[in-house]
Amino acid sequence: MQIQSTNTVDTSVTPFKDKINFPLTKKRITVLQINIGRRCNLACTHCHVEASPKRTEELSPEVCEQLISIIQRFPEIKILDLTGGAPEMNYGFKPLVEAAKLAGKQVIVRSNLTIYFENGFGNLPEYFAKHQLRIVASLPCYLSDNVDKMRGIGVFETSIKALQWLNQLGYGKESNLILDLVFNPQLPTAEKFSLAPEQSKLEQDYKMFLQKHFNIVFNNLFTITNLPVGRTKMYLERRKLYASYLQFLESHFNPSTIEHLMCRDEISIDYLGNVYDCDFNQMMNIPAKTRNGENLTVAKLLEVGSLDLINEVQTAPYCYGCTAGCGSSCGGALL
């Protein structure tokens, strides 16, 4: 069943299309990002997917087979980016991984780290290493109090154990075992907003702290802005901060980020097989459109035999989150 949109038109900021003053066009698609499902062992306060252990939405076998066909048929796809929920908990994770590796793609798994200690998932680190998956792991701060406040009591300690385990397998040390961490700012409690700190400087702070206190090493730190989508949006609305946060993001709009936006060379797929320009549009149910204005699906891509059916990226007020300051993407800062 299609999830119904709860979008409302926001008049507190300049429409993003008017801000950039030209159509945001799609480039050649090289990244296939799939949200495998909403099930997760955590329920983080900032989660734009609104994932939790109670969610049951996940890929069907039919959509999984269609996605494998996409992976096999389109050599221009260089990266398969698997997300959730905890992607590892949802149907289709390993078949997609193995199809992509067989086709010579780089595979990214967006992991919350704590899943390795849940019953039935203790073989994941070894599986990741065997298939040389690139791990992008959430660690929104290197201080335990901040992490536990955002993600749940005990999550920091468990995450540290998981990172040490990955290091023992060679992650962060061997060139083919890449381990990246993700920083998210704390959610604001009043109208005192801030963007993420400068990424390279914060990366050095993370590396020094984690090496000194836990003997942990990793490759890259990605700073990602909290976009007002999902639980972050609900949090801001409850505190009557939503409109002012959007205005803050617009006030820091940086046109230099436009060239590098992740929505321009990727497509985002949901567990139903619907196509979106990015994961945020997916969560807000703003589907990608063909040149004829039709909603796009995986089945349509296979029928036509092309990934290049989208001319213009669908935009929304939260696009200011990806274009504020140094920009933000699933791969961190843009500039």
Side-chain angles (χ1 to χ4, degrees):
M1 183 177 69
Q2 175 67 54
I3 296 173
Q4 295 300 310
S5 172
T6 58
N7 294 340
T8 56
V9 176
D10 192 286
T11 58
S12 63
V13 297
T14 307
F16 191 77
K17 276 187 178 182
D18 294 345
K19 176 68 75 170
I20 61 176
N21 205 30
F22 57 84
L24 187 60
T25 54
K26 210 77 167 175
K27 299 179 181 179
R28 187 169 177 80
I29 302 302
T30 59
V31 180
L32 177 64
Q33 186 177 72
I34 305 172
N35 189 302
I36 298 180
R38 305 289 182 90
R39 185 183 293 112
C40 187
N41 59 311
L42 301 178
C44 301
T45 59
H46 64 296
C47 181
H48 71 281
V49 181
E50 301 176 51
S52 80
K54 295 180 180 179
R55 302 296 293 260
T56 59
E57 304 97 317
E58 64 179 359
L59 282 183
S60 66
E62 178 185 8
V63 173
C64 185
E65 286 304 313
Q66 290 175 339
L67 289 167
I68 288 172
S69 295
I70 292 280
I71 290 166
Q72 293 170 337
R73 286 178 57 179
F74 296 102
E76 60 265 42
I77 295 173
K78 305 302 180 186
I79 298 172
L80 176 67
D81 187 345
L82 298 177
T83 184
E88 306 97 323
M89 295 183 73
N90 292 276
Y91 178 85
F93 175 71
K94 289 185 176 179
L96 290 169
V97 165
E98 289 161 27
K101 294 303 294 187
L102 192 62
K105 318 292 187 188
Q106 181 188 58
V107 179
I108 296 172
V109 55
R110 296 189 180 270
S111 180
N112 68 31
L113 297 173
T114 65
I115 186 63
Y116 314 154
F117 300 95
E118 298 287 343
N119 187 38
F121 298 97
N123 66 338
L124 283 174
E126 284 77 11
Y127 179 84
F128 292 171
K130 175 184 175 182
H131 292 282
Q132 299 181 6
L133 305 193
R134 182 171 188 165
I135 300 173
V136 178
S138 178
L139 193 71
C141 186
Y142 53 75
L143 300 176
S144 61
D145 287 350
N146 288 344
V147 172
D148 287 359
K149 187 183 298 182
M150 293 178 75
R151 305 185 66 208
I153 300 299
V155 168
F156 180 80
E157 181 181 357
T158 306
S159 298
I160 291 298
K161 291 178 181 177
L163 291 170
Q164 291 170 333
W165 185 354
L166 292 170
N167 278 175
Q168 290 171 5
L169 294 171
Y171 269 99
K173 300 176 180 180
E174 299 178 15
S175 61
N176 58 350
L177 297 177
I178 304 298
L179 173 60
D180 301 322
L181 301 183
V182 172
F183 164 87
N184 293 94
Q186 296 288 304
L187 295 175
T189 57
E191 288 191 11
K192 189 177 180 181
F193 307 123
S194 61
L195 299 175
E198 199 274 319
Q199 183 168 279
S200 61
K201 172 62 169 63
L202 187 60
E203 178 179 294
Q204 293 308 309
D205 293 342
Y206 261 71
K207 287 185 172 180
M208 288 175 61
F209 187 90
L210 294 176
Q211 174 77 60
K212 177 180 178 180
H213 293 277
F214 304 107
N215 198 31
I216 287 171
V217 296
F218 66 94
N219 294 97
N220 307 288
L221 179 73
F222 299 149
T223 57
I224 298 182
T225 300
N226 289 320
L227 265 68
V229 172
R231 287 199 190 111
T232 295
K233 181 182 181 183
M234 291 186 285
Y235 172 95
L236 293 167
E237 288 176 331
R238 285 196 302 270
R239 288 159 179 79
K240 303 187 186 307
L241 296 172
Y242 175 68
S244 54
Y245 184 61
L246 278 176
Q247 291 163 3
F248 166 78
L249 294 174
E250 183 188 1
S251 71
H252 289 80
F253 171 73
N254 183 350
S256 298
T257 61
I258 297 295
E259 178 64 23
H260 309 287
L261 289 173
M262 64 181 181
C263 57
R264 303 192 68 185
D265 64 359
E266 79 166 30
I267 52 174
S268 173
I269 314 293
D270 70 9
Y271 59 90
L272 296 170
N274 298 309
V275 179
Y276 305 83
D277 292 305
C278 70
D279 193 46
F280 301 111
N281 279 2
Q282 181 183 147
M283 294 311 118
M284 295 301 288
N285 194 31
I286 301 177
K289 302 282 188 180
T290 68
R291 292 178 175 84
N292 297 324
E294 301 172 15
N295 291 358
L296 198 52
T297 64
V298 173
K300 183 69 173 179
L301 296 175
L302 290 170
E303 175 191 336
V304 175
S306 172
L307 299 179
D308 300 314
L309 303 181
I310 306 167
N311 185 44
E312 186 175 339
V313 174
Q314 303 300 306
T315 60
Y318 49 79
C319 295
Y320 286 117
C322 292
T323 56
C326 291
S328 180
S329 74
C330 290
L334 299 174
L335 300 174

